Amino acid sequence: MRHSETELMLKGYGLTTAEFYYRMPDYRNVLNSFIWQDYDLAPDHPRLFEFIEFWQDQIEGPLHSVRFTHRKMIAPGEWRNVVGELTLH
């Protein structure tokens, strides 16, 4: 079952963006790139590594390198409890 994006963010998932550089199967001197995004858990990144395993098993173009970044969309510092009230006039 796939959860909604909001549910994933509340469970601690963040958006992971990865750029894959791979060699063309017929032209080994040519590097191509592929962009992948999904919600994932840092620091282990299970979905990213699952996709890398899929790539290595199913895609003919061998990987040259992978660059990725991770950003939590909802962080604990964004929520705070306000206990006071200011009356103006």
Side-chain angles (χ1 to χ4, degrees):
M1 181 173 99
R2 187 81 173 160
H3 297 286
S4 73
E5 292 177 2
T6 305
E7 288 175 321
L8 290 173
M9 286 187 281
L10 291 173
K11 290 180 179 181
Y13 283 77
L15 187 62
T16 299
T17 304
E19 185 173 16
F20 291 81
Y21 292 97
Y22 63 97
R23 298 195 183 277
M24 300 295 291
D26 297 334
Y27 304 97
R28 297 294 177 159
N29 295 330
V30 176
L31 278 179
N32 207 352
S33 67
F34 176 79
I35 303 293
W36 174 89
Q37 276 190 328
D38 201 355
Y39 286 94
D40 208 353
L41 284 170
D44 296 330
H45 300 286
R47 290 188 179 175
L48 174 60
F49 288 113
E50 180 181 323
F51 185 77
I52 291 172
E53 288 177 14
F54 166 79
W55 185 289
Q56 292 173 335
D57 293 341
Q58 303 295 324
I59 307 294
E60 289 183 24
L63 286 174
H64 175 269
S65 59
V66 178
R67 292 180 357 166
F68 70 95
T69 184
H70 179 83
R71 168 91 165 105
K72 281 195 170 193
M73 307 304 276
I74 297 177
E78 294 179 22
W79 299 94
R80 58 188 178 140
N81 186 17
V82 178
V83 293
E85 182 176 330
L86 178 64
T87 306
L88 188 62
H89 297 299

